[in-house]
């Protein structure tokens, strides 16, 4: 019973989080890796990049490493809210809000990788993205990178749910022993 529970646990870890992370961030091909530049108001802006219709599904992934003073309360690790706006040929799309948050205060140089946008259908054009803080940031970022990935594969929800069920069964099997 213990061996079966461990096998279910390992298989669940591979099917749920590992598969989901791989599909979201590593499938497809890297079309561009762009360094965002600073703009007024403490925000960031990417250079223009060209997108073609045959790149769909297309993903935009923001990567950054931050730092903050370690003298914060353990129960209140820093979390900053941002708004990202994608522009095509100068026209803004609906802004997207997201949070970059540290898991705990002991890691004062957290690394973030945020999947901002997945475009299943792509309209060709010149794009750029702007990232602005919604409040005064508690985490300082020296640089931000935007990865443009073409021909991404979205995770299959059936595989992820199966993995979660295997995780739960594995944990229940280990607890029951």
């Amino acid at each position: 019973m213990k061996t079966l529970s461990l096998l279910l646990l390992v298989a669940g870890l591979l099917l749920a989080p590992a598969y989901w992370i791989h599909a979201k961030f590593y499938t497809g091909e890297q079309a561009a890796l762009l360094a965002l530049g600073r703009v007024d108001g403490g925000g960031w802006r990417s250079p223009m990049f060209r997108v073609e219709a045959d790149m769909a599904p297309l993903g935009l992934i923001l990567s950054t490493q931050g730092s903050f003073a370690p003298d914060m309360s353990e129960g209140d690790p820093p979390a900053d809210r941002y708004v990202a706006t994608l522009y095509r040929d100068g026209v803004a799309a609906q802004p997207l809000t997201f949070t970059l948050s540290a898991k705990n205060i002991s890691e004062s140089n957290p690394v973030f990788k945020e999947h901002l946008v997945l475009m299943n259908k792509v309209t060709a054009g010149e794009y750029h993205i702007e990232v602005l803080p919604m409040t005064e940031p508690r985490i300082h970022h020296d640089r931000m990178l935007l990865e443009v990935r073409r021909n991404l594969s979205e995770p299959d929800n059936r595989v992820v749910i199966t993995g979660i069920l295997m995780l739960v069964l594995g944990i229940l099997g280990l607890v029951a022993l």
Side-chain angles (χ1 to χ4, degrees):
M1 179 72 169
K2 184 177 181 180
T3 304
L4 178 61
S5 295
L6 287 173
L7 286 173
L8 284 170
L9 190 65
V10 170
L13 286 171
L14 289 173
L15 286 177
Y19 165 74
W20 186 88
I21 289 168
H22 174 74
K24 277 287 196 189
F25 295 106
Y26 300 106
T27 59
E29 304 169 46
Q30 184 182 73
L33 184 61
L34 308 164
L36 278 68
R38 288 258 187 205
V39 294
D40 292 338
W44 300 82
R45 181 181 180 163
S46 76
M48 299 294 277
F49 57 96
R50 180 89 188 146
V51 170
E52 300 296 339
D54 67 347
M55 297 171 97
L58 181 90
L60 301 179
I61 301 166
L62 183 71
S63 299
T64 184
Q65 181 171 356
S67 62
F68 58 89
D71 60 347
M72 297 181 175
S73 167
E74 182 67 43
D76 187 28
D80 296 329
R81 294 191 44 82
Y82 289 87
V83 61
T85 307
L86 182 65
Y87 293 84
R88 184 187 81 232
D89 299 325
V91 178
Q94 181 71 34
L96 166 75
T97 59
F98 64 96
T99 303
L100 298 178
S101 59
K103 305 286 186 258
N104 56 56
I105 63 161
S106 63
E107 183 184 347
S108 59
N109 294 312
V111 175
F112 303 100
K113 199 162 188 145
E114 184 73 28
H115 197 285
L116 295 176
V117 177
L118 174 73
M119 292 186 264
N120 286 315
K121 184 178 179 187
V122 175
T123 304
E126 293 289 325
Y127 287 76
H128 77 275
I129 195 163
E130 290 182 0
V131 177
L132 298 170
M134 295 179 77
T135 58
E136 184 65 33
R138 295 172 62 194
I139 302 171
H140 174 74
H141 300 276
D142 289 324
R143 72 180 208 168
M144 287 189 180
L145 298 173
L146 180 68
E147 182 179 10
V148 180
R149 292 196 73 83
R150 60 186 290 152
N151 307 120
L152 278 180
S153 297
E154 268 294 282
D156 184 344
N157 286 335
R158 296 172 298 183
V159 173
V160 175
I161 290 171
T162 300
I164 292 170
L165 289 174
M166 292 173 101
L167 272 171
V168 169
L169 290 174
I171 292 169
L172 288 176
L174 290 174
V175 170
L177 293 176

